[in-house]
Amino acid sequence: MNARMQSILRRGIAAAALTSIAAHAGAGAPADPLAPAGRWQGNTGGSAATPPMGWNSWNAFRTDVDEDKVLGAARVLVDSGLAGLGYVYVNLDDGWWLKRRAGDSRLQVRTGIFPSAATGGPDGTSFRPFTDKLHAMGLKAGIYTDIGRNACSQAYDLHSPNLPQGTTAEREVGLDGHVAQDISLYFKDWGFDYIKVDACGLADFAPGSDLVQRQHYRGLAPLIERGSINRTDIAAVRGRYEAVAAALRAARPANDYVLSICAWGMANVRTWGKEVGNLWRTSSDITPNWTSMLHNFDSAAKRPLYAGPGHWNDPDILHIGHEEFDAAHPVEVRSHFSLWAMINAPLLVSYDLRNGPAALLAVLGNADVVALNQDKAGHQGVVAYDSDDAQIMVKTLGDGQRKAVALFNRGAAPVAVTLLARHLKMSDSAPVTLRDLWSKTTVTFTGEQAFTLAPHETRLFAASGRRQLEDGVYLSEIPGAIHVAVDGTRQALLDPGIHRMIDPWSNTRSGSARPQYAGWGGAQADTTPFGQTLQIAGQAFDSGIGILANSRLQVRNSAGYARLTASVGVDDSTVNTRQPVRFYVYGDGALLAASPPVAFGGKPFRLQADIRGHDVIELVVRGAASDTTPPVVATWGDVQLVRQQRKNP
Ligand code: GLA
């Protein structure tokens, strides 16, 4: 048989095999969440192509906020040049409201602190003059509300002079029962561009509680129980935020809004936030100390596959300007800012900018660091080396050719860190150039370079060198191009990998600093879902995607790659060693390649798919659907997109 005939025969066999797989996979069954969608399913609502930047009133003033303070911050943003760098959102947090007016339920602004809102007439008050001022300055305006009936200040700031006042109903300033009315008021009448929707109303106003009785609130059986994911009604919480998203789409058909979900990492929001909002808090409130910063950073840092253009992990507003991040702590300030930049966190400054030291403005105004956060490709940094002492994090910039790298000393003692070209997925044998984004100095090395980091220091570099894949990218290098449609998790498991700070509010009076945020076991870049090395039958992979069986990933092929290759199999770390799984690759809904059933201990199976001309590539792992065994851990080893089709397949 000549080579041409062999190749025709091979293709024929492959086609027959794929047909039978397609039948087996039940492609087309509408209820099957693993069936390829053939179109991008990531949330396209709202406009946050890059992480939102600007200022928020909360860490600066809590409820002691007023118009002068906010407009003063806005003025500094403009005059300092920060607005020109992208810091354009000026976000009012809790404390602005007076009451929900009886009769028509229209919200009223506390004009004692926002005098321009005293517009009179039938509406009583209006924030329109305030947002007009911000817009005239070239800025955008954000407002705050709660998804329940009552806001967080009504539970936690009871001594504030700026709490809503009046009857029980008048003090119900949250969205519950008023979603369409309030969203229309905020976005159509008042002209806001951004809304942060808090969640205390679903968590802290239990019927019969001391708070509810003393303050004469209407109780709401908690949908979020802070200490228990199993006693949290995840679907109900998500449903309420979905209703807000729908109201926003109706109020702003041009899609010019930002929805910030503030459920503090509860209710499994770290998994579904991307489907509903543009950013979602991944943890509790940041406080101005190092370990709180670590906690909040960790809550977002291992979730790169869940974020991308239009949807961002939110480890909370910056605490730069206060206590352990004030101007007397320049190392900590630069670390906090560098880390937020690397994980594509929103850069929302929150100190009194009117009285802030110039040194802090210089940090916030580091255009190189801002640019890496705002890189349009939206690839969140991926942890390349992980420990409780030091971490190395690498973020792909733009088209995949350039990288940023952060070397981070988490601890209070100096630490030696060796950066390998391999951490950057760059060649060991070609020079790598690092440009320090703080000192602006340059160093070049081949293979590896040793550093000593001062306590709490982060070194931040732009790196260039010869990439391991000169003609393509590993999928783990481009998390912003991936949409985790189904991650295979069957229960919301609590993430044990987040720094457990002493709770700043209860200190050691609470039981302990327990893991509290679901999302453990989801899709991961370069590790298994549980943080282990990717490994199939003894073969380890530095690069790849770790996921559970019964999962579906979508990858945008906007760069027009020609070929996808991977070495796939059941990961050696799987607890469930008994059930085989199959791997499938689809292009715009059509099956392109599939593995046979592969089982624990089986050698990696080499998958190749011709993806030329396909925009949405889908990677599916199917296993037995069972509730009685843990899901199989599946590894897409070395999964990569390559520009050239191989000449001799
Ligand atoms: C919660 C939020 C904070 C802030 C306050 C306002 O704690 O997480 O970011 O908005 O409420 O009361």
Side-chain angles (χ1 to χ4, degrees):
M1 214 178 337
N2 65 27
R4 193 179 129 73
M5 278 187 68
Q6 266 179 359
S7 135
I8 290 171
L9 192 62
R10 257 206 313 269
R11 267 186 260 144
I13 292 167
L18 294 185
T19 314
S20 85
I21 287 161
H24 163 82
D32 177 5
L34 304 185
R39 62 183 172 81
W40 187 250
Q41 289 177 303
N43 172 23
T44 52
S47 45
T50 57
M53 297 173 65
W55 182 85
N56 171 292
S57 59
W58 184 250
N59 286 346
F61 302 117
R62 292 189 73 96
T63 61
D64 189 17
V65 62
D66 68 36
E67 191 162 1
D68 280 350
K69 291 171 177 168
V70 180
L71 291 177
R75 178 52 51 212
V76 176
L77 288 182
V78 173
D79 293 348
S80 65
L82 289 181
L85 271 181
Y87 292 88
V88 295
Y89 284 100
V90 174
N91 294 345
L92 271 186
D93 210 278
D94 206 346
W96 60 266
W97 27 40
L98 182 68
K99 64 179 175 188
R100 185 180 292 285
R101 184 164 77 177
D104 65 358
S105 299
R106 192 180 177 90
L107 284 163
Q108 299 294 303
V109 182
R110 183 177 285 276
T111 54
I113 52 177
F114 287 95
S116 77
T119 48
D123 292 343
T125 63
S126 171
F127 261 135
R128 184 53 96 160
F130 171 76
T131 63
D132 280 350
K133 266 185 224 161
L134 291 175
H135 289 145
M137 296 167 81
L139 301 169
K140 291 177 184 282
I143 192 150
Y144 167 93
T145 185
D146 195 283
I147 192 78
R149 294 181 191 132
N150 298 97
C152 293
S153 58
Q154 292 177 296
Y156 297 109
D157 287 72
L158 294 178
H159 300 296
S160 166
N162 293 333
L163 291 182
Q165 63 190 47
T167 64
T168 294
E170 284 171 328
R171 286 179 292 130
E172 291 183 352
V173 292
L175 288 171
D176 184 277
H178 301 280
V179 172
Q181 178 184 17
D182 289 1
I183 294 298
S184 169
L185 176 69
Y186 296 148
F187 283 83
K188 287 167 106 164
D189 296 15
W190 288 354
F192 282 99
D193 309 290
Y194 179 117
I195 191 162
K196 170 174 166 181
V197 184
D198 218 330
C200 288
L202 301 186
D204 300 318
F205 298 84
S209 64
D210 274 3
L211 175 71
V212 162
Q213 283 177 349
R214 288 208 191 124
Q215 301 297 319
H216 304 286
Y217 295 134
R218 194 152 52 115
L220 186 76
L223 297 176
I224 298 177
E225 193 161 313
R226 291 173 192 267
S228 172
I229 188 71
N230 286 341
R231 291 168 56 81
T232 290
D233 190 339
I234 295 171
V237 175
R238 176 177 174 157
R240 285 183 178 234
Y241 279 101
E242 278 172 348
V244 176
L248 283 162
R249 285 194 293 273
R252 287 290 180 93
N255 220 19
D256 51 343
Y257 64 84
V258 174
L259 170 57
S260 159
I261 298 174
C262 185
W264 341 283
M266 299 288 153
N268 204 20
V269 68
R270 298 198 311 159
T271 300
W272 56 260
K274 65 183 167 56
E275 316 284 341
V276 182
N278 304 111
L279 57 156
W280 54 94
R281 284 275 300 279
T282 51
S283 61
S284 59
D285 293 8
I286 191 166
T287 59
N289 61 69
W290 184 253
T291 57
S292 166
M293 193 279 292
L294 286 182
H295 174 92
N296 282 36
F297 171 69
D298 288 352
S299 72
K302 310 269 179 72
R303 309 286 294 167
L305 292 172
Y306 293 79
H311 55 285
W312 310 104
N313 290 306
D314 175 9
D316 205 0
I317 49 183
L318 296 158
H319 232 317
I320 288 172
H322 305 123
E323 299 183 32
E324 293 181 24
F325 304 103
D326 67 11
H329 295 85
V331 172
E332 285 77 8
V333 170
R334 284 196 299 270
S335 277
H336 184 5
F337 193 64
S338 301
L339 295 169
W340 260 232
M342 282 294 285
I343 59 173
N344 294 348
L347 299 180
L348 294 165
V349 184
S350 194
Y351 66 96
D352 185 352
L353 283 176
R354 302 167 308 169
N355 304 311
L360 296 183
L361 292 182
V363 169
L364 303 170
N366 184 325
D368 288 332
V369 181
V370 168
L372 86 85
N373 173 266
Q374 294 290 301
D375 183 77
K376 291 218 163 17
H379 304 307
Q380 178 172 324
V382 171
V383 176
Y385 174 81
D386 197 20
S387 76
D388 290 340
D389 300 324
Q391 288 171 307
I392 298 175
M393 177 159 268
V394 179
K395 173 172 165 34
T396 304
L397 300 172
D399 58 4
Q401 299 308 306
R402 293 174 304 124
K403 298 276 172 103
V405 56
L407 315 179
F408 175 33
N409 180 0
R410 298 167 64 95
V415 68
V417 167
T418 302
L419 175 68
L420 309 180
R422 188 152 45 87
H423 290 136
L424 299 160
K425 303 196 194 296
M426 288 181 184
S427 162
D428 277 344
S429 53
V432 174
T433 300
L434 300 176
R435 180 167 170 267
D436 188 315
L437 299 184
W438 290 109
S439 73
K440 315 295 181 190
T441 56
T442 295
V443 60
T444 299
F445 71 93
T446 300
E448 62 180 60
Q449 173 74 32
F451 294 89
T452 302
L453 304 185
H456 296 176
E457 186 182 22
T458 301
R459 299 287 301 270
L460 188 63
F461 303 100
S464 50
R466 194 202 303 151
R467 299 181 56 258
Q468 283 176 354
L469 295 184
E470 285 186 272
D471 197 29
V473 285
Y474 290 111
L475 286 191
S476 59
E477 292 183 282
I478 53 165
I482 296 175
H483 168 60
V484 180
V486 184
D487 71 6
T489 51
R490 292 206 292 254
Q491 291 92 18
L493 299 179
L494 298 181
D495 189 339
I498 294 170
H499 180 82
R500 301 182 307 142
M501 63 181 168
I502 295 178
D503 185 277
W505 298 279
S506 62
N507 193 261
T508 53
R509 285 177 215 95
S510 65
S512 218
R514 317 258 191 232
Q516 44 186 328
Y517 314 123
W520 183 234
Q524 286 293 358
D526 296 342
T527 80
T528 73
F530 304 106
Q532 298 296 310
T533 299
L534 297 170
Q535 182 174 301
I536 304 169
Q539 182 179 339
F541 298 91
D542 282 345
S543 297
I545 302 289
I547 199 162
L548 299 175
N550 296 318
S551 56
R552 179 165 59 89
L553 297 175
Q554 297 196 314
V555 184
R556 268 191 209 273
N557 186 24
S558 38
Y561 288 104
R563 195 157 53 97
L564 178 146
T565 65
S567 295
V568 299
V570 172
D571 195 90
D572 286 350
S573 69
T574 192
V575 171
N576 180 343
T577 55
R578 294 179 172 222
Q579 290 165 343
V581 299
R582 298 183 81 165
F583 293 74
Y584 303 84
V585 178
Y586 299 85
D588 297 326
L591 185 63
L592 303 179
S595 76
V598 291
F600 173 73
K603 289 255 171 299
F605 180 84
R606 188 96 182 116
L607 257 187
Q608 307 219 31
D610 179 348
I611 59 170
R612 275 175 300 181
H614 293 295
D615 296 327
V616 177
I617 313 303
E618 290 177 85
L619 276 58
V620 173
V621 185
R622 284 182 184 272
S626 161
D627 260 343
T628 55
T629 52
V632 171
V633 175
T635 285
W636 292 89
D638 279 343
V639 58
Q640 60 191 262
L641 305 178
V642 187
R643 215 160 280 288
Q644 295 302 320
Q645 190 63 14
R646 224 191 242 158
K647 292 211 177 68
N648 298 308

